[in-house]
Amino acid sequence: MTERIVRVLDSFGDDRTVQTSTDIARRTGLPSSTAHRIVGDLVAAGLLERDEQGRVRLGMRLWELALRGSRALRLRQAALPHMERVQAQIREHTQLAVLEHEEALFLERLSHPEAGANITRIAGRLPLNASSSGLVLLAHADPEIRERILHGHLEAVSPETVTDAETLRALLASIRRRGHVIAPGSIEAVSTGVAVPVRDHGQVIAALSVVLPRAAATTPAVNALTSAAGAIEQDLRSAP
Ligand code: PHB
């Protein structure tokens, strides 16, 4: 039963936020009657919400439960004031990401009205070898995960994404040495991602990044991110 409920919830995606029970049955491969019954139960529990046309979306209650006491919330709360400072200083998108199932999962993103292009979405994911946040997370990942990624298929998001395993291995070593990454064009030709690690009790738990227009200077971003990461670490130490 639990597995079927997870399949129903998992059938919602970034580009598929509203569905009918029939869509859900087709996408999950569940018999139509089963899909209809599970959807009905989830609506009754508030985990899904039904609109006037009878279609459903993920419910607020699910969001509420997911955040309650989560590690993501503790991290986001510690990070937000410092992200705001970076964002005010650099005036470009500022993001916080964690490693989740071999991808970078974005917990927060602050934007600026005049900021440049940016494909990241809150609760969205990007490949580890492509985004600047992903590169930082991969550089500091458990060696077993790192090797698995390095030996697997390295997806190209743009023509400049690093997809050669040995080039990527050298890049990850340089990120560990330097304490930051500058990744021009690895997601989109028009932008440069800059990211630093965020530690909790010495362990890297997140990446803090900004997305700059390609021609922008990167040093102010590296400095702002490095000082914000240090301040977040200090706040995490005193947070329960
Ligand atoms: C990055 O983190 O490198 C990045 C993310 C989103 C973009 C561009 C760059 O749109």
Side-chain angles (χ1 to χ4, degrees):
M1 187 60 178
T2 308
E3 190 265 340
R4 285 183 290 177
I5 292 173
V6 171
R7 257 156 77 189
V8 168
L9 296 175
D10 236 3
S11 70
F12 291 86
D14 261 359
D15 50 355
R16 210 186 305 128
T17 54
V18 182
Q19 312 186 82
T20 63
S21 298
T22 310
D23 295 333
I24 292 173
R26 200 179 51 245
R27 290 203 176 99
T28 56
L30 290 170
S32 175
S33 58
T34 309
H36 276 78
R37 184 165 40 79
I38 293 176
V39 166
D41 288 351
L42 292 174
V43 168
L47 302 187
L48 294 181
E49 289 170 5
R50 211 187 285 279
D51 66 15
E52 309 81 54
Q53 283 117 60
R55 300 173 309 173
V56 288
R57 64 171 70 242
L58 295 174
M60 277 295 219
R61 172 116 179 97
L62 198 57
W63 176 86
E64 180 190 0
L65 290 174
L67 252 63
R68 196 175 288 164
S70 78
R71 282 181 294 121
L73 182 61
R74 171 178 175 265
L75 170 61
R76 182 174 164 273
Q77 272 172 338
L80 255 181
H82 307 292
M83 290 178 71
E84 277 163 8
R85 206 146 33 85
V86 172
Q87 209 265 340
Q89 225 174 313
I90 308 297
R91 295 166 167 260
E92 297 291 346
H93 308 277
T94 307
Q95 288 101 200
L96 181 70
V98 293
L99 178 62
E100 165 64 24
H101 274 138
E102 303 192 358
E103 288 180 303
L105 171 65
F106 288 83
L107 301 185
E108 188 56 89
R109 174 186 130 163
L110 302 179
S111 295
H112 188 271
E114 280 118 53
N118 184 351
I119 68 163
T120 55
R121 299 276 170 273
I122 295 173
R125 291 167 177 259
L126 284 175
L128 292 177
N129 61 309
S131 57
S132 56
S133 300
L135 288 165
V136 161
L137 294 168
L138 187 56
H140 294 280
D142 193 271
E144 201 184 302
I145 295 177
R146 194 158 60 235
E147 286 310 311
R148 199 160 55 237
I149 301 277
L150 281 164
H151 286 97
H153 170 68
L154 294 168
E155 184 187 338
V157 177
S158 83
E160 290 173 88
T161 305
V162 177
T163 54
D164 172 69
E166 287 321 304
T167 311
L168 181 55
R169 195 186 292 281
L171 175 60
L172 298 177
S174 90
I175 294 170
R176 285 190 294 272
R177 245 184 354 259
R178 294 200 179 118
H180 68 262
V181 66
I182 296 169
S186 79
I187 293 281
E188 292 180 289
V190 294
S191 44
T192 296
V194 180
V196 301
V198 177
R199 291 180 170 81
D200 188 13
H201 295 92
Q203 185 116 8
V204 173
I205 55 157
L208 190 63
S209 65
V210 291
V211 176
L212 304 173
R214 182 84 178 235
T218 53
T219 308
V222 171
N223 292 341
L225 289 169
T226 306
S227 93
I232 295 168
E233 283 162 28
Q234 211 153 7
D235 286 359
L236 283 172
R237 258 196 293 278
S238 49

